[in-house]
């Protein structure tokens, strides 16, 4: 029976999936040589697999760094599998409004088993790449990472927090815990330098009718364009939007 199973499988698909599986589980962009070292696939064949997977959107290759990450098509499959497409469809009009109003890169992140992931991105009016793309997993010290760490308390989230916090210094961990309490009170999170140097971000929550955090809207831009004070009119506007978006899912942000 084992022999029959082996002969009825498509070997090239198994090899292709092994490459995708490696990059997904690596949790960080990979160089060609690193993929070659881990898979032991000949370089000529590996080029063919990577080019094919990239053309299908299963993987993404950054033109500047040459690093490989998961692509938009793979993310779409994943979102469909966990019923996240509905969130993207419902939030997208608000994402468009915020992008048009603030003219900064605007993102939607949702929770996955590996942490918060960008599932939708609308670039700034200047089209700048500010350190993230669809499929990027956000670190705990990013604005969205802080937001999810403050509100997510299930075992999967606890594992993610432990792994992320292990990479922080004691002072950074203390600062993060203090920020988490402030985030719960203010319903908004801020960060600087988490995605790229000189880049800042603001994240607002999306709650459902159970007061569960189901997503986050993030505004990303250069530090001088992203105010970090809750009283700033831009952040008050974002909090109003957070309430509007949450209402679509039967939730509310501000009591």
């Amino acid at each position: 029976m084992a022999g029959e199973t082996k002969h009825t499988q498509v070997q090239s698909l198994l090899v292709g999936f092994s490459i995708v599986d490696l990059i997904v589980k690596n949790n960080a962009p990979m160089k060609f040589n690193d993929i070659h070292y881990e898979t032991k696939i000949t370089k000529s064949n590996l080029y063919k697999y990577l080019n094919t997977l990239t053309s299908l959107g299963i993987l993404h290759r950054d033109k500047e760094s040459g690093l490989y990450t998961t692509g938009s098509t793979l993310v779409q499959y994943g979102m469909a599998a966990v019923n996240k497409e509905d969130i993207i469809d419902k939030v997208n009009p608000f994402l468009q409004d915020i992008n048009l109003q603030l003219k900064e890169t605007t993102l939607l992140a949702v929770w996955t088993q590996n942490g918060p992931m960008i599932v939708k991105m609308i670039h700034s009016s200047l089209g700048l790449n500010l350190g993230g793309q669809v499929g990027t997993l956000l670190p705990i010290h990013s604005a969205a990472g802080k937001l999810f760490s403050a509100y997510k308390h299930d075992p999967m989230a606890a594992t993610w927090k432990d792994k992320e916090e292990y990479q922080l210094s004691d002072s950074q961990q203390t600062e993060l815990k203090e920020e988490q309490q402030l985030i719960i009170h203010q319903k908004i999170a801020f960060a600087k330098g988490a995605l790229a140097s000189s880049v800042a971000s603001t994240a607002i929550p999306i709650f459902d009718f159970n007061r569960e955090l189901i997503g986050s809207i993030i505004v990303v831009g250069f530090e001088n364009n992203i105010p970090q004070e809750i009283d700033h009119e831009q952040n008050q506007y974002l909090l109003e939007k957070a309430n509007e978006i949450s209402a679509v899912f039967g939730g509310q942000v501000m009591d």
Side-chain angles (χ1 to χ4, degrees):
M1 187 71 177
E4 181 182 343
T5 301
K6 182 177 180 180
H7 288 301
T8 56
Q9 293 179 337
V10 180
Q11 189 63 27
S12 58
L13 287 178
L14 294 175
V15 174
F17 184 82
S18 71
I19 296 170
V20 175
D21 189 59
L22 171 67
I23 294 173
V24 169
K25 290 181 178 178
N26 191 61
N27 287 329
M30 295 189 71
K31 297 178 181 178
F32 176 89
N33 286 339
D34 293 333
I35 300 171
H36 171 63
Y37 175 80
E38 294 291 340
T39 61
K40 304 298 188 292
I41 301 170
T42 62
K43 288 189 176 183
S44 59
N45 281 338
L46 184 57
Y47 274 119
K48 293 176 184 178
Y49 278 110
L50 291 174
N51 287 341
T52 301
L53 291 167
T54 301
S55 68
L56 293 172
I58 302 297
L59 296 180
H60 171 80
R61 181 181 182 276
D62 186 89
K63 292 181 179 178
E64 294 183 4
S65 66
L67 295 174
Y68 289 90
T69 57
T70 52
S72 59
T73 300
L74 187 63
V75 174
Q76 289 171 11
Y77 291 160
M79 292 303 99
V82 293
N83 298 317
K84 299 295 188 189
E85 283 190 335
D86 185 52
I87 295 177
I88 298 174
D89 289 342
K90 289 181 177 178
V91 172
N92 188 52
F94 296 97
L95 208 64
Q96 298 277 358
D97 288 344
I98 294 171
N99 179 264
L100 187 63
Q101 176 71 23
L102 302 184
K103 297 178 176 56
E104 299 290 349
T105 297
T106 314
L107 317 171
L108 168 63
V110 300
W111 180 254
T112 73
Q113 62 181 5
N114 294 316
M117 176 188 285
I118 299 172
V119 295
K120 182 72 177 180
M121 167 181 280
I122 304 176
H123 289 286
S124 71
S125 57
L126 298 177
L128 299 173
N129 184 348
L130 297 175
Q133 62 184 23
V134 171
T136 296
L137 289 167
L138 298 170
I140 199 168
H141 60 286
S142 66
K146 293 175 184 178
L147 198 67
F148 279 96
S149 70
Y151 284 104
K152 300 291 286 187
H153 303 294
D154 56 79
M156 189 183 297
T159 300
W160 170 72
K161 289 180 191 179
D162 289 343
K163 181 179 178 181
E164 289 285 314
E165 289 176 0
Y166 181 77
Q167 303 176 53
L168 303 178
S169 66
D170 290 343
S171 61
Q172 288 174 321
Q173 290 184 35
T174 299
E175 184 179 346
L176 177 63
K177 285 180 171 57
E178 292 174 353
E179 283 193 76
Q180 288 169 345
Q181 295 303 313
L182 189 61
I183 288 166
I184 291 173
H185 174 67
Q186 296 184 336
K187 312 297 190 299
I188 193 169
F190 306 105
K192 291 183 179 180
L195 297 179
S197 177
S198 302
V199 169
S201 56
T202 304
I204 52 174
I206 303 171
F207 293 121
D208 66 8
F209 60 93
N210 284 322
R211 194 71 175 189
E212 289 288 327
L213 182 67
I214 60 173
S216 173
I217 299 289
I218 310 130
V219 177
V220 183
F222 292 116
E223 289 183 4
N224 58 339
N225 294 331
I226 306 295
Q228 305 276 290
E229 303 82 24
I230 189 172
D231 293 331
H232 192 283
E233 61 179 359
Q234 180 167 307
N235 293 326
Q236 290 300 305
Y237 162 79
L238 287 173
L239 285 170
E240 290 176 7
K241 283 296 181 182
N243 233 10
E244 289 180 32
I245 299 167
S246 294
V248 173
F249 299 94
Q252 63 177 20
V253 173
M254 307 307 292
D255 299 321

